[in-house]
Amino acid sequence: MDFRRQLPSVDQLLHRDDLISLQKEYGHDLVVLATQSVLDQIRQDAEAEQKILQGIDFPDLVQKCLLEWTSPTLVPVINASGVILHTNLGRAPLSAASVMAIQRAAHEYCTVEYDLSSGRRGSRTIHTADLLRRLTGAEDAVVVNNNAASVLLVLTALARRKQVAISRSQLVEIGGGFRIPEVLMQSGAHLMEIGTTNRVHLDDYLQALENGASIILHVHSSNFKVIGFTAEPDKSDLVALAHEKKALYIDDLGSGALLDTRRFGMTAEPMVQDAIRSGADIVCFSGDKLLGGPQAGIILGRKDLLVKIKKHPLYRALRADKICLAGLSATLLHYLKNEAETCIPVWRMIAEPVEEIRKRAKSWQDFLHLGELLESTSTVGGGSLPGETLPTVVLAIAVKSPERLLKKLRSAHTPVIARIENDQVVLDPRTVFPEQETQLLTTIKLLLETN
Ligand SMILES: *Cc1c(COP(=O)(O)O)cnc(C)c1O
């Protein structure tokens, strides 16, 4: 017997009322493809089981198929993990002003490379250069796609065929396959490893410079810590040595901070202003780590070097787009107006007092009538302040299978990302926006009721 005969044709199905309305919603062509795909699947299943499948609801299957094909994979989530700069969750959430600036730049025409006074072509670097100069004291600035792009561009434009001295303790892998020795090789620079894994001295750098190195590259150990018997020369001594020997000093700060992390009870993350003040020729850092802006790579430094960088063909390939520039300038403006701590979400989360967090966790507990409040820690994450934590209070929920509850939370309509601590599911208010709380709590309530 031929199962195929028993099945309706694509054409017959397309004329049914429910499929006609699907065509209005999704367009004719996509519905045809989905219908074909559903019929193929049914045919395969029927052949495998050697029988006709009864009671098939075709429109329902077609609709399910269309939903699967068209639902976005990039969806908003509630981050209750307590990791402020969660790289897998998109790092820094943006300030309201940044989002507004991005929305306008994206939706309307804008002066990304247009000079209104002359009516001629303008420069895309002006939108952020002045702000960055004022904030950091650098001579000039340029913005590229991300900080990995900064490092690649800076080295390609300035270090090609040159010897670059770098300490063995700084030949790091950042994550996502970004390894300093490989980037150096890609840029055409020659790597000159100096020092040891744990210790490097001023004299090691001196030797390198006398043996032909013309650039010193300093890379911040963003995501790990070397403790114990360690040594590294003072940055200003190193810069002075480089300049005495007519060499360049390039500083990859990784995260870089414009505010002092020590004010929030953490160790010092290198500050961009300090790196410029120390005399570094080039300083680069990320836009979406501690700066709290959109994904970007920011390159600061000497005007003559920035000219070379901007002229390099790679700059054209790596430059930031209007959306990034709009969001970044709005974020930088918060620093200039001294409102970063209240307006930039990353800093607002870092600055939130633990007593405030305790109150929020308590209100969650009161609403849900379950869980207990526990002292715990939030982390900054995103390749900054490794091992550093902020005291927090979490709502801990004890269930038979914490893994199963985590999974259920992830599959909620607005997914919730939580973590497990001592066999309990814990939710950290620090990274949850107050305006997400109602949604978070109703989601949890519903999940636990149907558990
Ligand atoms: C994070 C980091 C990078 C890469 O920056 P992205 O903006 O993620 O591309 C490069 N160098 C260091 C030291 C970093 O910490």
Side-chain angles (χ1 to χ4, degrees):
M1 180 171 54
D2 189 356
F3 312 114
R4 273 161 258 244
R5 292 253 187 83
Q6 317 258 335
L7 286 174
S9 70
V10 173
D11 216 43
Q12 282 167 338
L13 284 172
L14 286 176
H15 282 92
R16 290 180 48 163
D17 283 349
D18 16 26
L19 261 80
I20 288 171
S21 65
L22 282 179
Q23 288 171 71
K24 285 197 185 114
E25 191 179 344
Y26 293 96
H28 168 81
D29 295 359
L30 197 60
V31 177
V32 171
L33 287 177
T35 310
Q36 280 166 347
S37 160
V38 164
L39 287 173
D40 284 349
Q41 189 60 51
I42 292 168
R43 237 173 252 129
Q44 275 176 27
D45 292 349
E47 262 157 40
E49 296 185 23
Q50 287 294 303
K51 62 171 192 230
I52 307 152
L53 303 163
Q54 300 291 324
I56 298 169
D57 185 348
F58 290 100
D60 183 58
L61 289 174
V62 173
Q63 181 165 29
K64 285 203 173 104
C65 176
L66 286 163
L67 266 176
E68 192 192 313
W69 285 2
T70 56
S71 38
T73 51
L74 186 68
V75 294
V77 299
I78 295 176
N79 175 12
S81 73
V83 182
I84 297 173
L85 291 167
H86 199 305
T87 295
N88 303 136
L89 299 183
R91 288 201 188 147
L94 299 180
S95 76
S98 277
V99 173
M100 288 265 280
I102 284 176
Q103 174 154 5
R104 291 211 62 181
H107 192 65
E108 300 169 40
Y109 292 103
C110 63
T111 56
V112 64
E113 278 189 10
Y114 190 83
D115 178 23
L116 283 176
S117 60
S118 67
R120 298 225 176 94
R121 181 174 179 181
S123 153
R124 75 171 57 217
T125 61
I126 59 155
H127 310 295
T128 45
D130 273 347
L131 288 165
L132 285 164
R133 270 197 292 260
R134 283 204 184 93
L135 285 167
T136 66
E139 283 181 19
D140 201 5
V142 69
V143 181
V144 289
N145 182 52
N146 54 25
N147 195 40
S150 309
V151 179
L152 179 64
L153 175 60
V154 166
L155 292 174
T156 311
L158 305 179
R160 199 176 162 72
R161 294 203 199 90
K162 297 197 172 138
Q163 304 270 0
V164 177
I166 178 169
S167 167
R168 289 195 166 86
S169 59
Q170 295 167 23
L171 290 171
V172 298
E173 176 175 313
I174 305 301
F178 184 81
R179 301 168 127 193
I180 293 294
E182 287 166 14
V183 177
L184 268 161
M185 185 144 49
Q186 179 66 37
S187 73
H190 301 297
L191 169 64
M192 195 188 262
E193 291 181 37
I194 62 170
T196 60
T197 308
N198 53 332
R199 286 166 78 84
V200 61
H201 306 285
L202 199 61
D203 196 51
D204 295 320
Y205 284 100
L206 177 63
Q207 301 275 325
L209 295 173
E210 288 183 341
N211 287 327
S214 58
I215 291 173
I216 290 176
L217 176 62
H218 190 278
V219 180
H220 180 52
S221 56
S222 312
N223 47 10
F224 70 103
K225 234 176 176 166
V226 189
I227 51 168
F229 189 54
T230 63
E232 207 186 304
D234 191 61
K235 220 173 235 187
S236 49
D237 292 343
L238 210 47
V239 174
L241 176 71
H243 292 168
E244 187 193 315
K245 297 287 174 192
K246 307 255 177 302
L248 291 180
Y249 184 88
I250 297 173
D251 200 352
D252 174 15
L253 293 180
S255 180
L258 290 175
L259 297 185
D260 192 342
T261 48
R262 286 173 300 188
R263 273 183 36 213
F264 307 94
M266 295 181 288
T267 54
E269 179 73 10
M271 290 181 70
V272 182
Q273 302 93 311
D274 293 344
I276 294 292
R277 209 176 301 125
S278 75
D281 300 288
I282 293 287
V283 172
C284 63
F285 61 103
S286 277
D288 55 353
K289 291 185 181 171
L290 276 175
L291 188 80
Q295 179 187 305
I298 297 164
I299 307 173
L300 306 174
R302 260 169 51 192
K303 210 174 176 75
D304 59 321
L305 299 176
L306 264 296
V307 168
K308 264 194 191 168
I309 288 169
K310 284 187 265 188
K311 270 198 193 140
H312 195 279
L314 249 194
Y315 167 63
R316 176 61 183 79
L318 302 175
R319 70 184 188 186
D321 74 325
K322 61 176 181 178
I323 291 173
C324 165
L325 293 171
L328 184 62
S329 11
T331 301
L332 291 170
L333 200 54
H334 291 310
Y335 288 96
L336 207 60
K337 289 160 74 181
N338 228 342
E339 58 184 26
E341 214 177 299
T342 47
C343 293
I344 299 177
V346 168
W347 287 106
R348 207 167 51 212
M349 288 173 186
I350 289 175
E352 185 166 7
V354 67
E355 284 321 310
E356 208 48 52
I357 299 176
R358 187 188 307 279
K359 271 190 220 152
R360 292 174 62 198
K362 177 83 174 64
S363 78
W364 295 6
Q365 184 188 38
D366 291 347
F367 179 91
L368 295 168
H369 302 297
L370 57 80
E372 61 173 321
L373 303 191
L374 291 180
E375 310 281 331
S376 183
T377 51
S378 320
T379 50
V380 178
S384 59
L385 300 156
E388 268 314 286
T389 55
L390 292 158
T392 193
V393 175
V394 295
L395 180 66
I397 302 173
V399 282
K400 230 188 271 151
S401 165
E403 285 292 350
R404 217 179 77 195
L405 180 54
L406 276 198
K407 191 163 181 204
K408 280 185 151 191
L409 286 166
R410 287 199 305 269
S411 53
H413 180 65
T414 299
V416 176
I417 312 299
R419 59 189 164 90
I420 296 176
E421 210 173 277
N422 296 330
D423 262 346
Q424 302 192 83
V425 171
V426 305
L427 303 156
D428 189 340
R430 192 186 290 276
T431 48
V432 176
F433 294 97
E435 59 269 29
Q436 294 175 322
E437 285 189 359
T438 311
Q439 173 133 47
L440 171 72
L441 295 176
T442 44
T443 299
I444 295 174
K445 199 164 201 158
L446 204 71
L447 282 183
L448 291 172
E449 276 166 9
T450 57
N451 207 1

